[in-house]
Amino acid sequence: MKLTISLAQIDIAFGNPDENFAKIEPLVKQAAAAGADMVVFPEMWNTGYDLSRFDKIADENGERTRQLLSELAKKCQLIVHGGSVAIKHDGAFYNTTYVFGSDGKLLTQYEKVHLFGLMHEDEFLAAGHEEDHFQIKGVDATSVICYDIRFPEWLRTLSLDNSRIIFVPAEWPTSRIPQWRRLLAARAIENQSFVVAVNRVGSDPDNPFGGHSGVYNPMGDEILTLDDQPQLKTITIDTDETDAARGFMPVFEDRRPELYR
């Protein structure tokens, strides 16, 4: 199955949801004009890491985000992977992914499982506990968020459900971009999957963010990479390449899970 995917690498206004929400519609329309089947956004694009003000700026039950993404997906007739946003739900805050189909219906919702202590997520956010599985045009896919990619056992768990694509929205600092690219390539190789990763650019009061969003094929080749500037880039991938990789090197068949812990 061939899929055309647009990566929306954006700057994020720190703690300013109104400014950030205004950026989304033009980019979805730009992706649709480029012939994309899908557009993908970065992590926590509605607020950035203004964690101490989440009580005022997090999206209540994700309602504003879900309404916008659903309307745009249906209007523009493409799948919208909403990266992730800060939401408030039942008195707690979550770093949450929403993906909407071209009919405007919610395909999946995922809460970030591994909270990043160096950016104080664990002090303000509740961790997710559920796996993420969905289909785009009949292709099995999964999502993780940023720091999750440092936990190969989690991505392998998600990939065991026949996933062909791993989506990774992120706010990854400039100083660790070399590790970002190596980790993404490694996750693609070991899971014999495409990895579509969208990082933010710009800066907040604590960190500059390095962009370098990219797409990696099941052999770990970086088939698209962006620089450190705001932009939207579009690429077509063929998910049948996962079958070729898994047929040549049947890693999943040779696993010995009874030995793993």
Side-chain angles (χ1 to χ4, degrees), residues 38-86:
M38 183 176 195
V39 61
V40 187
F41 288 92
E43 179 186 19
M44 289 226 288
W45 57 258
N46 65 330
T47 63
Y49 269 82
D50 194 359
L51 300 173
S52 65
R53 295 180 61 241
F54 272 3
D55 59 328
K56 297 181 177 65
I57 61 175
D59 190 1
E60 189 77 33
N61 295 316
E63 291 178 3
R64 184 178 184 184
T65 303
R66 289 187 285 113
Q67 180 177 349
L68 175 67
L69 300 185
S70 174
E71 290 176 353
L72 289 174
K74 188 173 183 179
K75 178 180 179 180
C76 297
Q77 288 294 288
L78 78 171
I79 300 160
V80 178
H81 189 299
S84 78
V85 291

